Amino acid sequence: GNTTFTFSGAVNGMSNGFVLQVTGNGSTLTWPSTVDWAGGTAPDAPASGESNLYVFYTRDGGSNWIGVLSSAAYA
């Protein structure tokens, strides 16, 4: 089904990041409003059976995140 993400656990005073792989199944993705996407807009969810690889980074304890679509539509 549709997925809404929340990010937590980032440590203040340190840089934090993670990589997320999402495999599409026809659902929509909703990202936290604190994510600033490269290019200004969140990428579309991957098509069914395809995967996207996302990278997220924060340096302020998770108050703001930078999101990047690293790889799209791979099987």
Side-chain angles (χ1 to χ4, degrees):
N2 298 334
T3 302
T4 300
F5 291 96
T6 7
F7 302 160
S8 63
V11 179
N12 274 323
M14 299 183 73
S15 295
N16 298 256
F18 65 96
V19 176
L20 176 67
Q21 176 184 333
V22 175
T23 301
N25 62 5
S27 301
T28 61
L29 304 176
T30 303
W31 302 101
S33 61
T34 55
V35 176
D36 182 19
W37 288 98
T41 304
D44 293 331
S48 290
E50 294 182 343
S51 294
N52 284 358
L53 195 64
Y54 305 91
V55 177
F56 297 94
Y57 168 78
T58 183
R59 61 179 179 216
D60 61 8
S63 295
N64 298 285
W65 290 88
I66 296 168
V68 177
L69 175 60
S70 177
S71 183
Y74 63 91

